[in-house]
Amino acid sequence: MWRVLKFVAWVLKQAWKYGASKVAKAASWAKNNWRTVLKWLDRGIAYGTILHWILQHLGLA
């Protein structure tokens, strides 16, 4: 779970690039779907790719 929290912290630091509201929604999604995010992290998917997938899923990309 700590790996997901580390990812969420990284996501929140991306507000300068994507906007505060988008990253807040992505971070919330990641926390609510932490098992999915953990599977992606275990597979070695890059943080940026995961964030992009989440933003696409939310219709924010």
Side-chain angles (χ1 to χ4, degrees), residues 4-54:
V4 175
L5 293 176
K6 186 176 174 182
F7 169 75
V8 169
W10 179 86
V11 167
L12 293 172
K13 291 179 184 177
Q14 302 307 305
W16 66 272
K17 186 174 184 180
Y18 297 100
S21 64
K22 286 183 181 181
V23 297
K25 290 175 185 177
S28 178
W29 187 94
K31 287 188 279 185
N32 291 331
N33 298 282
W34 67 270
R35 286 180 183 91
T36 301
V37 174
L38 184 58
K39 286 179 193 175
W40 291 337
L41 292 171
D42 287 342
R43 292 180 184 157
I45 309 296
Y47 282 8
T49 301
I50 295 172
L51 176 56
H52 186 70
W53 288 348
I54 293 170

